[in-house]
Amino acid sequence: MTVIVDCHVHLEGREKVDEILKAMDSAGIDVIFAFSAYPGRIIGYGSYVEYDLHKQREVAEHVANLQKEAPDRIVGFLWLEPLLEKAVEVLEWAVTKLELRGVKMIPNHWYPYDEKLLKVYEKIEELNVPIIFHSGILWGFGDSSRFCRPANYEILLKFPKIRFALAHIGWPWVDECIATWGHFRVEAQRAGRRDIQMYIDATPGTPPLYRKEALQKVFAYGAEDYVIFGSDSHIGNLVEARKIIERDITLLRDHIGLPETSIRKYLGENALRFVGIRK
């Protein structure tokens, strides 16, 4: 049986569990990683963002309540803004008190290797929850794409217990994303670790024109056990995720020639392992 997990679903902060489950059932999705609503307010073209500690807590509580109502189907992720003065405190509260199971971050005018991020990484490593980072071109936060290059995340080599995924296969820097995964693979081998800490979130960002080539490269390079499906959907348009699933299955099975075992890993098994769920 194929379990379908969408690792990349955005919330707006007003959704009810019944509408989410209905949308998931309509799309044929078993589990979603639900990102709490964005905790900031973008002003102008995105060069300035207001962050609100109250808003950060409010959106965390919303996704936590949804997860509590449907724990087998909704995996709550905290969209954390690490520039908040109390980011580490909020992170610990969200994981230990609200029981959220992962962290989402987008480098909006900060580099993943900035010194101010180190305490956040230390706490995430201590809490043993995974991170999904945006990587690749960034539409919506002004001139922030340069902060999201895949190689910027090599700082996580200093935190080998952190599992993390780079979203969108880093498009348009697909080769750089795959090469970065290769770097983490080599470092894991050198350290005698069985598992590689980096995963590749194949959520589109790669337009259809580039999709086949990108997925073919990911699998050919050996990342079969570390690539996870996502749609970048909102609950209101989760039906679009079904179209992406069907398109990807066609590419993987009919054009790239992958066996069903590999497709099952991609559609759900790898994602469940990423968050430590066994089904």
Side-chain angles (χ1 to χ4, degrees):
M1 176 181 173
T2 299
V3 176
I4 296 181
V5 180
D6 189 334
C7 80
H8 206 113
V9 177
H10 291 272
L11 299 178
E12 296 178 357
R14 300 181 298 273
E15 297 86 352
K16 305 295 184 184
V17 71
D18 289 345
E19 69 173 299
I20 293 175
L21 297 180
K22 182 178 179 180
M24 291 173 64
D25 290 341
S26 295
I29 295 171
D30 299 296
V31 179
I32 62 170
F33 295 176
F35 302 154
S36 61
Y38 184 61
R41 184 168 69 92
I42 301 173
I43 299 173
Y45 184 56
S47 58
Y48 178 68
V49 177
E50 282 187 346
Y51 298 114
D52 185 324
L53 182 60
H54 174 74
K55 177 70 172 178
Q56 177 77 88
R57 291 181 177 274
E58 182 181 89
V59 297
E61 289 173 341
H62 173 250
V63 70
N65 288 334
L66 295 174
Q67 177 182 261
K68 187 175 182 179
E69 291 187 71
D72 293 334
R73 303 198 65 188
I74 299 173
V75 178
F77 271 63
L78 171 71
W79 188 335
L80 179 68
E81 179 42 64
L83 298 183
L84 278 172
E85 183 179 350
K86 296 186 177 181
V88 173
E89 294 177 30
V90 171
L91 168 64
E92 184 165 27
W93 165 76
V95 174
T96 61
K97 302 300 183 184
L98 300 184
E99 299 183 347
L100 294 183
R101 304 182 72 166
V103 178
K104 160 73 172 177
M105 286 193 277
I106 291 183
N108 176 20
H109 290 86
W110 50 264
Y111 285 104
Y113 50 76
D114 284 348
E115 186 175 353
K116 56 197 167 194
L117 270 292
L118 300 184
K119 289 186 178 180
V120 174
Y121 296 148
E122 288 171 359
K123 181 56 66 174
I124 289 173
E125 191 169 50
E126 175 189 324
L127 295 170
N128 191 31
V129 290
I131 313 169
I132 293 181
F133 287 105
H134 176 87
S135 69
I137 202 78
L138 183 56
W139 296 336
F141 288 87
D143 58 340
S144 277
S145 296
R146 67 187 182 277
F147 299 95
C148 302
R149 294 284 303 243
N152 291 343
Y153 296 95
E154 289 180 324
I155 183 65
L156 274 301
L157 288 166
K158 296 184 178 181
F159 301 90
K161 295 180 181 178
I162 292 180
R163 300 183 310 284
F164 72 98
L166 297 189
H168 312 296
I169 324 180
W171 186 82
W173 303 297
V174 170
D175 289 348
E176 182 176 312
C177 181
I178 295 171
T180 301
W181 180 83
H183 188 180
F184 280 86
R185 175 173 59 181
V186 167
E187 292 300 324
Q189 291 169 345
R190 287 173 176 167
R193 295 193 303 270
R194 177 181 176 183
D195 293 327
I196 302 167
Q197 67 184 108
M198 177 180 161
Y199 286 65
I200 297 172
D201 168 4
T203 294
T206 45
L209 174 65
Y210 302 92
R211 189 76 171 160
K212 176 186 173 183
E213 179 185 10
L215 288 174
Q216 192 164 25
K217 286 180 174 180
V218 168
F219 281 90
Y221 195 62
E224 175 179 317
D225 293 328
Y226 293 90
V227 58
I228 56 182
F229 168 79
S231 71
D232 208 6
S233 296
H234 292 263
I235 297 304
N237 70 341
L238 201 57
V239 66
E240 293 299 315
R242 186 72 230 174
K243 297 178 183 178
I244 298 169
I245 292 167
E246 292 172 353
R247 187 176 66 213
D248 280 358
I249 289 175
T250 298
L251 284 175
L252 296 174
R253 178 188 293 146
D254 300 338
H255 296 275
I256 299 176
L258 293 181
E260 294 301 315
T261 52
S262 300
I263 295 173
R264 286 198 298 271
K265 290 178 183 180
Y266 170 69
L267 290 177
E269 292 175 6
N270 292 343
L272 293 177
R273 191 176 77 253
F274 178 66
V275 292
I277 294 176
R278 296 185 180 276
K279 279 189 176 284

